[in-house]
């Protein structure tokens, strides 16, 4: 069965194909290019953010180590360990250190027996230095390195009031205080120790200004989440890009560097996926294009259909024998030419029918005349045949009579012949 296409459906399919296919191809290429550009841009942003956080982390601890190196040689701290009357100067020094170093929240000065001399923002009579005491003492006695500061990670330790460190997590830095820095031998025996506490909350406070909404970083030490810095509300369902960096507390003052694994997460569009957004836009544009294509096809169909309907009516009129085609507005020059051809064709057919009708009339009249003449001739021939038949009969009778006269009785023969010729006489 041959498939029949309708003009309306064909125009609609053509419009959709012409409108949607190029738009889909171009849209797909643009989305692909946009996605690649966006991906590279986001990767570049996260690289810069990771580098910035790493540099800021190192810079802040470098400033802290520098301040601690200066204080480790401060004569007021050295004298304050032995002289009770200088504790006020020690307190002022510790206060100045904490207030001017954003990372530090509390500071302690202890003597060689780890008895507290003075603290600022700390806890009087703290008992949490026992493990730190053994760690720092062993390292001071055995280290061969140039640096004289030791860094330790602490967790679940109460090193300051809870209002300053509710997480109970952070970093402790211990610095030995020596009698003199001129003689190596004297330097091996510290008079005491300067202990500073860097809580997680202060590290978060320092790094948070570098983050935007949807960005966060997690610092891990020995597989344990120690520091989680973020800005705004985190949504775990939002897809993000991430990068892992190794961040180390290390400088010329640190004897044994301590490393963190920093995993940086970034979501530049606050949870909006650029590819999904672009795909939504392309889908909306495609739907609009399809609707416009269908609307255009409908209008085009109506624009074309009316003139074509006029032509179909003209053809139907010709098929039904009506050759009077009224003039219609066909809009298009090609359709007008077709209509003119149809009208010329109908005029020719009409003239041929008129001529044929005239010839048919004449032929019928000629046939009637011919039939009349044939009838007359037939009648004449019939009469002629009848006469000839009589003549032949008479001739046969005469021949028979003559023959009988020659061989029979003349009287009886004559009488018999007369009776046969005139049976009613």
């Amino acid at each position: 069965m041959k498939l029949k296409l309708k003009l309306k459906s064909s125009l609609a399919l053509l419009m959709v194909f012409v409108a949607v296919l190029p738009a889909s191809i171009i849209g797909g290429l643009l989305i692909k290019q946009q996605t690649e550009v966006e991906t590279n841009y986001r990767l570049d942003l996260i690289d810069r953010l990771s580098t910035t956080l790493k540099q800021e982390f190192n810079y802040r601890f470098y400033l802290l180590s520098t301040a601690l190196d200066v204080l480790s040689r401060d004569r007021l701290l050295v004298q304050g360990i032995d002289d009770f009357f200088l504790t006020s100067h020690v307190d002022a020094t510790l206060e100045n250190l904490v207030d001017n170093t954003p990372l530090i929240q509390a500071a302690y000065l202890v003597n060689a027996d780890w008895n507290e001399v003075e603290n600022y923002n700390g806890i009087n009579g703290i008992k949490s230095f026992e493990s730190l005491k053994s760690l720092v003492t062993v390292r001071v006695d055995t280290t061969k390195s140039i640096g004289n500061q030791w860094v330790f990670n602490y967790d679940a330790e109460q090193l300051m009031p809870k209002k300053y460190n509710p997480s109970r997590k952070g970093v402790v830095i211990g610095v030995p205080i020596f009698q003199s820095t001129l003689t190596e031998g004297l330097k091996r025996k510290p008079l005491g120790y300067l202990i500073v506490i860097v809580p997680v909350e202060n590290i978060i406070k320092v790094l948070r200004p570098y983050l935007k909404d949807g960005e966060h970083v997690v610092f891990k030490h020995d597989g344990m989440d120690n520091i989680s810095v973020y800005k705004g509300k985190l949504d775990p369902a939002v897809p993000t890009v991430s990068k892992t960096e190794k961040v180390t507390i290390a400088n010329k003052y640190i004897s044994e560097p301590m490393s963190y694994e920093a995993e940086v997460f970034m979501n530049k569009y606050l949870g909006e996926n650029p590819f999904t957004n672009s795909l939504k836009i392309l889908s909306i544009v495609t739907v609009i294009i399809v609707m416009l294509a269908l609307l255009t096809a409908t209008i085009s169909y109506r624009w074309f259909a009316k003139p074509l309907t006029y032509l179909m009516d003209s053809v139907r009129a010709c098929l039904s024998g009506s050759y009077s085609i009224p003039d219609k507005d066909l809009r298009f020059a090609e359709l007008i030419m077709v209509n003119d051809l149809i009208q010329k064709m109908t005029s020719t057919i009409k003239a041929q029918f008129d001529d044929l009708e005239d010839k048919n009339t004449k032929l019928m009249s000629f046939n009637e005349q011919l039939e009349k003449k044939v009838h007359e001739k037939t009648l004449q021939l019939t009469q002629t045949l009848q006469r000839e038949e009589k003549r032949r009969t008479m001739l046969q009778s005469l021949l028979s009579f003559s023959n009988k006269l020659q061989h029979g009785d003349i009287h009886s023969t004559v009488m018999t012949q007369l009776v046969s010729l005139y049976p009613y006489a």
Side-chain angles (χ1 to χ4, degrees), residues 28 86 97 99 139 168-169 209 237 257 266-267 271 298 327 348 383:
L86 293 176
L97 173 65
D99 292 344
R139 281 168 172 74
R168 300 302 187 195
K169 296 189 294 186
M266 173 181 286
N267 181 27
T298 303
D327 292 333
T348 302
Q383 292 175 356

Side-chain angles (χ1 to χ4, degrees), residues 105-316:
Q105 188 62 50
Y108 292 88
L109 181 65
V110 297
N111 58 25
D113 296 326
W114 286 82
N115 295 316
E116 179 184 328
V117 176
E118 189 61 50
N119 76 79
Y120 183 78
N121 284 347
I123 300 175
N124 296 324
I126 188 170
K127 302 298 184 182
S128 297
F129 282 158
E130 294 300 324
S131 59
L132 184 63
K133 173 182 176 181
S134 59
L135 291 173
V136 174
T137 303
V138 171
R139 281 168 172 74
V140 171
D141 293 339
T142 61
T143 183
K144 303 295 182 182
S145 60
I146 299 176
N148 62 348
Q149 299 179 14
W150 285 267
V151 184
F152 303 95
N153 191 69
Y154 74 89
D155 187 17
E157 294 285 348
Q158 189 172 352
L159 301 179
M160 67 182 77
K162 189 174 182 179
K163 65 177 181 178
Y164 296 130
N165 188 202
S167 65
R168 300 302 187 195
K169 296 189 294 186
V171 176
V172 177
I173 301 179
V175 184
I177 305 297
F178 295 101
Q179 177 68 36
S180 173
T181 59
L182 300 178
T183 305
E184 184 67 22
L186 294 177
K187 186 177 181 181
R188 296 301 301 170
K189 299 296 182 179
L191 294 177
Y193 300 92
L194 175 61
I195 309 298
V196 294
I197 313 299
V198 180
V200 164
E201 288 76 10
N202 282 23
I203 297 177
I204 294 174
K205 189 185 301 182
V206 168
L207 297 181
R208 182 173 287 165
Y210 296 93
L211 300 177
K212 297 180 180 179
D213 288 341
E215 299 174 349
H216 68 284
V217 57
V218 177
F219 294 89
K220 298 179 181 180
H221 179 69
D222 293 335
M224 179 178 60
D225 288 352
N226 284 343
I227 308 170
S228 182
V229 188
Y230 58 89
K231 188 173 184 179
K233 185 178 180 181
L234 294 181
D235 187 355
V238 174
T240 59
V241 292
S242 63
K243 182 180 180 181
T244 302
E245 287 276 2
K246 184 176 182 181
V247 179
T248 304
I249 301 176
N251 51 61
K252 63 181 181 179
Y253 305 109
I254 302 295
S255 179
E256 297 177 2
M258 185 175 67
S259 297
Y260 284 90
E261 184 183 87
E263 190 171 6
V264 183
F265 300 89
M266 173 181 286
N267 181 27
K268 181 177 179 296
Y269 286 99
L270 303 179
E272 294 293 336
N273 191 314
F275 179 79
T276 303
N277 284 342
S278 301
L279 191 60
K280 289 180 181 178
I281 294 173
L282 179 62
S283 301
I284 294 173
V285 172
T286 302
V287 171
I288 293 174
I289 291 175
V290 170
M291 294 178 64
L292 290 176
L294 294 176
L295 179 62
T296 305
T298 303
I299 295 174
S300 301
Y301 169 73
R302 293 184 177 180
W303 184 256
F304 281 105
K306 199 170 184 179
L308 291 176
T309 302
Y310 290 154
L311 288 179
M312 293 175 64
D313 293 339
S314 299
V315 174
R316 289 195 187 98

